[in-house]
Amino acid sequence: MITSTGWEFDLGGGVGILPRFDIEGQEKKPEPAEGRPVPVEVVVQRAVERLELPQPVIRTSPDEDLVQVVHVPTWMWVDRGTWGPVSASAAVEGVTVTATARPRRAVWSMGEGGRVVCRGPGTPYSEAFSPKAASPDCGYTYRRASVSVPGGAYTVSVQVTWDVEWRGGGQAGVVPGLVMTAQRQLVVDEVQAVVTG
């Protein structure tokens, strides 16, 4: 049985979490002695460490560079170029393992206390939808403007969770819960209705 607790690493603007394996209760297993077969767990760890998971790119409608509006649905999605399978392989002493990571879900923290769990990347907004329509699968409606928070903007973050399937050395398994994160500022304002007589 292979377990993974994970450790964080900085990606420059985002944080990723890669698994840390506990092999037979040891923090780090020494290299196999001459003549002994390499444990498949060692090769799995190397293959997983070689995965180059993309940092998610946050997209919203209204556009993330524009002002979001209180009580108007905000659409969120992760750029499609950062959502898809990623593979890497490693070989040690004739044992080859291929690891394939697939994104499973995106968890959004919206800055005012709200949290949204999306089972996919989210749907990009297009003119095919009404301007007042809510996202069919990944949206949020702000209740308060961000004017009173430091900097006048909410910090919005997304965590994309990846699961890794690996095969090699006559075995197969899963490493769950690799996480890639990103964040950005969103300004949220209230639009006052104008009443004319």
Side-chain angles (χ1 to χ4, degrees):
M1 179 75 178
I2 302 172
T3 60
S4 168
T5 55
W7 72 88
E8 292 189 0
F9 62 98
D10 186 13
L11 292 168
V15 175
I17 299 176
L18 279 179
R20 181 189 304 278
F21 291 94
D22 182 9
I23 304 168
E24 297 176 6
Q26 297 181 16
E27 194 61 31
K28 191 171 184 180
K29 193 172 181 76
E31 292 295 325
E34 187 100 10
R36 292 186 183 175
V38 62
V40 70
E41 293 92 342
V42 172
V43 191
V44 170
Q45 182 172 355
R46 291 189 184 178
V48 172
E49 288 173 345
R50 290 183 179 176
L51 287 167
E52 296 183 5
L53 301 183
Q55 181 181 343
V57 177
I58 293 174
R59 302 288 187 214
T60 66
S61 181
D63 187 277
E64 57 273 11
D65 292 326
L66 302 177
V67 174
Q68 310 299 304
V69 180
V70 171
H71 303 307
V72 174
T74 293
W75 293 45
M76 301 100 64
W77 65 95
V78 173
D79 193 286
R80 298 288 174 157
T82 64
W83 192 280
V86 176
S87 294
S89 297
V92 179
E93 296 183 7
V95 178
T96 301
V97 168
T98 298
T100 301
R102 291 181 174 83
R104 175 166 43 96
R105 67 176 186 169
V107 179
W108 296 78
S109 295
M110 302 308 297
E112 69 165 356
R115 182 174 174 268
V116 181
V117 179
C118 303
R119 298 297 172 189
T123 301
Y125 179 79
S126 74
E127 293 183 359
F129 300 98
S130 162
K132 296 181 180 180
S135 169
D137 57 1
C138 196
Y140 184 78
T141 300
Y142 279 98
R143 300 179 303 276
R144 296 186 302 274
S146 60
V147 64
S148 62
V149 301
Y154 290 123
T155 298
V156 174
S157 65
V158 62
Q159 292 187 337
V160 177
T161 301
W162 300 67
D163 288 339
V164 180
E165 296 178 353
W166 62 267
R167 294 182 180 279
Q171 299 182 51
V174 175
V175 180
L178 278 67
V179 177
M180 298 295 287
T181 67
Q183 66 179 33
R184 65 163 298 128
Q185 303 297 110
L186 282 186
V187 175
V188 181
D189 203 355
E190 292 189 63
V191 175
Q192 303 296 330
V194 177
V195 178
T196 58

